[in-house]
Amino acid sequence: MDKVKKYIIDTSAILSGRINISTSNYIYPDSVINEIKNGSLEKILGVADINIQAPEKKYVEMAVNAATKTGDYNVLSNTDIDVLALAMEYNGTIVTDDYAIQNVARQCGIEYSGSGIEPIKKSIVWKYRCTGCHRIYDKYMDICPVCGHTVKRYSRK
């Protein structure tokens, strides 16, 4: 059994330029690699020997459920969900500067670290408030079904 700690690398960590891209215990979601393939880092990816993985479906579902519970789901991309899913699958540490990913990771007990900025210090559970009638909703929606105004996300105290 492989006891070496695995690090799941998000796009923001690669773009920070503060990580050694070819470190052997780094895992890159295939969706992260696809995000940066068309950028200036494509040449580096061609010569680096990196571990690219796609998460198993059951871990993607677990990540979606966790992100939905925190209220972060609607601000996370599919790539962000893949990062969370691989961290669950490999019991790995996420390296990201994305606060929404860090928030979900924290709620799930997944270790995380920032690559260029300070990581979050506390968990947030998001709620949604109508800008017109001020009704509060637990689930994400764009428009209030009661008055038709925009619904905005806010942190629950």
Side-chain angles (χ1 to χ4, degrees):
M1 181 140 204
D2 188 6
K3 297 279 186 185
V4 176
K5 184 71 173 172
K6 300 293 185 186
Y7 293 87
I8 314 305
I9 309 301
D10 183 34
T11 307
S12 63
I14 296 170
L15 296 176
S16 76
R18 296 178 186 226
I19 64 166
N20 177 355
I21 199 165
S22 61
T23 300
S24 64
N25 57 337
Y26 287 176
I27 298 174
Y28 298 88
D30 56 351
S31 53
V32 165
I33 300 307
N34 289 334
E35 278 188 348
I36 63 173
K37 267 194 174 171
N38 295 326
S40 60
L41 295 175
E42 183 176 16
K43 292 175 186 164
I44 295 170
L45 292 175
V47 297
D49 182 23
I50 59 177
N51 183 2
I52 302 172
Q53 301 281 332
E56 290 183 21
K57 184 179 179 180
K58 72 177 184 177
Y59 293 103
V60 171
E61 290 170 1
M62 289 169 59
V64 166
N65 289 337
T68 300
K69 285 180 185 173
T70 66
D72 288 297
Y73 178 71
N74 294 300
V75 299
L76 294 174
S77 68
N78 289 338
T79 299
D80 298 337
I81 294 294
D82 287 351
V83 168
L84 288 158
L86 281 173
M88 292 173 178
E89 187 172 341
Y90 287 95
N91 193 29
T93 299
I94 296 174
V95 182
T96 185
D97 287 333
D98 185 313
Y99 287 152
I101 293 174
Q102 291 179 11
N103 189 53
V104 177
R106 184 177 180 94
Q107 293 282 348
C108 293
I110 298 169
E111 292 181 29
Y112 59 88
S113 68
S115 58
I117 60 175
E118 196 68 27
I120 64 169
K121 302 260 190 282
K122 65 179 183 169
S123 298
I124 296 173
V125 175
W126 298 101
K127 294 281 188 177
Y128 304 91
R129 178 182 296 129
C130 174
T131 58
C133 67
H134 303 288
R135 281 187 169 75
I136 308 261
Y137 299 99
D138 290 331
K139 296 188 188 245
Y140 171 78
M141 61 185 66
D142 286 330
I143 303 296
C144 177
V146 174
C147 72
H149 280 84
T150 305
V151 176
K152 298 286 184 184
R153 186 169 85 141
Y154 76 98
S155 63
R156 186 181 81 192
K157 302 272 182 198

